């Protein structure tokens, strides 16, 4: 098991290096190909040529591409020094540079927004995982009955309605008209746990509806296929109770594809749920990324992209480990 995990760690590390190279190329070489100077974007179009030249030296844009990438990787690992002329500014690791718009380090900006994104992603994931899997199991066990049709109807509605529609409807009804939940700014968990949950609940449900539909349909399909296997009939023939057959034997086979998409979905959302954060005015990484795109703030876009990539790679690593726990054949393979 340890060797299996070590192999996956090496693969994950190599993948992160590859992602950093591709991301660096996208955000530093493509602007040059489009005749856009990152140094000019940093200081503004009204800056003097001398200011642009000094900024180009400060950012290391005057050096060859391989040296720029080396400085970029060094900044991520041990930090980076920026020469401001009479003074030197140190950017602590992991250094993604300084925001073009606010001139603040990108990493602290991401850390400030991370709790909001984690709160949104984890809360919604719990709802859609248990709701979607439970709905799929019920639908499969009640195939062709009213419960099956009702669950699949909810799944169809959930996957068809976008977050920006359900989110606005929920806010109009539950916040403004019925005043069951509160609007306003985001509340930190440590300051007011109940207010934190009250503020995020509608966002959790709106996001969970979209994902729960996929999980319900996938669980139903897998459960129907699994319940027809020989080992399920053998378990029933041995006199095992139905809940044991379903919970211990059938669900173990059903969980494999569920774990796969759950890890990917959660890793993606931890990089920022853009639409949900915008609809519910949540100051998370997704909203920060959208604002950075609008203002052409390349360092923040770069940092948010690498941040999201790390979560996706890490989620894949966790999925691989869970595969080995669920199915021992993976370890042997």
């Amino acid at each position: 098991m340890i060797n299996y995990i070590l192999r996956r760690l090496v693969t994950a590390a190599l993948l992160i290096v590859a992602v950093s190279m591709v991301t660096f190329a996208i955000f530093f070489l493509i602007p040059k190909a489009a005749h856009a100077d990152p140094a000019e974007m940093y200081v503004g179009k009204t800056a003097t040529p001398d200011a642009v030249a000094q900024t180009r030296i400060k950012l290391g844009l005057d050096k060859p591409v391989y040296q720029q990438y080396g400085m970029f990787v060094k900044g991520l690992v041990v930090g980076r020094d920026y020469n401001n002329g009479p003074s030197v500014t140190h950017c602590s690791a992991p250094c993604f540079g300084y925001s073009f718009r606010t001139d603040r380090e990108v990493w602290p900006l991401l850390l400030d927004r991370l709790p909001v994104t984690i709160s949104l992603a984890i809360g919604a994931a719990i709802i859609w995982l248990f709701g979607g899997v439970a709905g799929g199991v019920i639908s499969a066990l009640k195939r062709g009955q009213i419960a099956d049709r009702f669950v699949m109807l909810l799944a169809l509605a959930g996957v068809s309605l976008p977050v920006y529609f359900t989110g606005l409807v929920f806010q109009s009804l539950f916040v403004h008209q019925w005043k069951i939940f509160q609007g306003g700014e985001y509340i930190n968990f440590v300051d007011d746990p109940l207010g934190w949950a009250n503020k995020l609940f509608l966002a959790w449900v709106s996001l969970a509806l979209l994902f729960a539909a996929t999980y319900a349909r996938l669980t139903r399909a897998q459960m129907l296929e699994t319940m027809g296997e020989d080992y399920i009939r053998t378990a029933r023939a041995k006199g095992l109770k139905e809940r044991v057959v379903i919970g211990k034997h059938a669900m173990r086979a059903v969980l494999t594809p569920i774990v796969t998409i759950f890890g990917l979905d959660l890793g993606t959302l931890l990089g920022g749920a853009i639409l949900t954060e915008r609809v519910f005015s949540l100051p998370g990484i997704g909203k920060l990324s959208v604002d950075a795109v609008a203002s052409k703030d390349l360092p923040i876009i770069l940092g948010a992209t690498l941040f999201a990539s790390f979560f996706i790679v890490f989620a894949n690593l966790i999925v691989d480990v869970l595969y080995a726990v669920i199915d021992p054949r993976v370890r042997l393979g």
Side-chain angles (χ1 to χ4, degrees):
M1 185 68 178
I2 295 177
N3 291 333
Y4 176 80
I5 294 176
L6 289 177
R7 291 199 305 269
R8 291 298 181 267
L9 284 173
V10 172
T11 303
L14 294 176
L15 185 57
I16 290 177
V17 172
V19 169
S20 70
M21 296 176 65
V22 173
T23 307
F24 175 83
I26 290 174
F27 290 102
F28 283 90
L29 299 183
I30 290 182
K32 292 183 179 181
H35 305 288
D37 190 353
E40 184 177 312
M41 297 171 66
Y42 182 89
V43 297
K45 295 183 178 181
T46 59
T48 63
D50 291 339
V52 175
Q54 292 177 3
T55 302
R56 188 176 293 111
I57 295 174
K58 172 185 176 181
L59 299 178
L61 299 175
D62 59 327
K63 294 179 172 57
V65 174
Y66 67 91
Q67 290 188 16
Q68 293 184 43
Y69 179 71
M71 295 167 60
F72 171 70
V73 173
K74 180 182 177 182
L76 295 178
V77 178
V78 299
R80 183 174 175 181
D81 292 328
Y82 287 90
N83 186 358
N84 299 319
S87 62
V88 176
T89 302
H90 180 72
C91 179
S92 302
C95 177
F96 294 104
Y98 290 83
S99 168
F100 287 175
R101 187 164 53 91
T102 63
D103 203 29
R104 293 176 57 191
E105 288 188 34
V106 173
W107 178 245
L109 290 175
L110 293 174
L111 289 183
D112 289 342
R113 305 296 185 96
L114 183 60
V116 181
T117 299
I118 289 180
S119 299
L120 175 62
I122 297 298
I126 293 174
I127 295 175
W128 88 56
L129 180 62
F130 287 98
V133 172
V137 171
I138 293 173
S139 181
L141 297 179
K142 304 294 183 180
R143 182 180 183 181
Q145 300 181 22
I146 296 178
D148 179 21
R149 294 190 177 94
F150 179 72
V151 171
M152 287 299 100
L153 180 62
L154 287 180
L156 179 62
V159 78
S160 302
L161 298 176
V163 172
Y164 56 82
F165 175 79
T166 56
L168 292 176
V169 171
F170 285 163
Q171 288 187 88
S172 176
L173 294 177
F174 294 100
V175 176
H176 302 294
Q177 185 171 343
W178 297 332
K179 302 186 184 304
I180 298 176
F181 297 97
Q182 64 187 43
E185 297 181 353
Y186 173 78
I187 301 174
N188 290 323
F189 176 81
V190 294
D191 297 333
D192 183 4
L194 292 179
W196 168 83
N198 188 288
K199 169 64 179 175
L200 287 173
F201 184 78
L202 292 180
W204 290 339
V205 174
S206 299
L207 190 58
L209 280 176
L210 182 63
F211 286 90
T214 302
Y215 284 70
R217 294 191 298 176
L218 178 60
T219 302
R220 181 182 185 274
Q222 289 294 124
M223 181 63 73
L224 289 175
E225 180 180 351
T226 302
M227 295 303 288
E229 296 290 340
D230 292 338
Y231 68 89
I232 298 295
R233 288 193 290 268
T234 302
R236 284 172 170 166
K238 291 168 61 177
L240 296 179
K241 295 182 179 180
E242 189 67 14
R243 67 172 182 271
V244 177
V245 174
I246 296 173
K248 184 177 180 179
H249 297 281
M251 286 303 299
R252 193 162 190 173
V254 172
L255 283 178
T256 302
I258 297 297
V259 167
T260 302
I261 63 172
F262 179 73
L264 295 177
D265 289 340
L266 183 59
T268 302
L269 286 181
L270 288 174
I274 296 176
L275 288 178
T276 308
E277 291 179 7
R278 292 286 291 181
V279 170
F280 289 91
S281 300
L282 298 174
I285 294 178
K287 188 174 185 300
L288 178 67
S289 303
V290 172
D291 295 338
V293 171
S295 59
K296 298 180 181 179
D297 201 337
L298 290 182
I300 291 182
I301 301 174
L302 172 64
T305 302
L306 286 179
F307 212 52
S309 301
F310 168 79
F311 280 122
I312 294 174
V313 172
F314 182 74
N316 274 283
L317 175 63
I318 298 299
V319 166
D320 288 340
V321 175
L322 289 177
Y323 272 169
V325 175
I326 296 173
D327 190 351
R329 293 175 298 178
V330 176
R331 297 197 299 270
L332 298 176

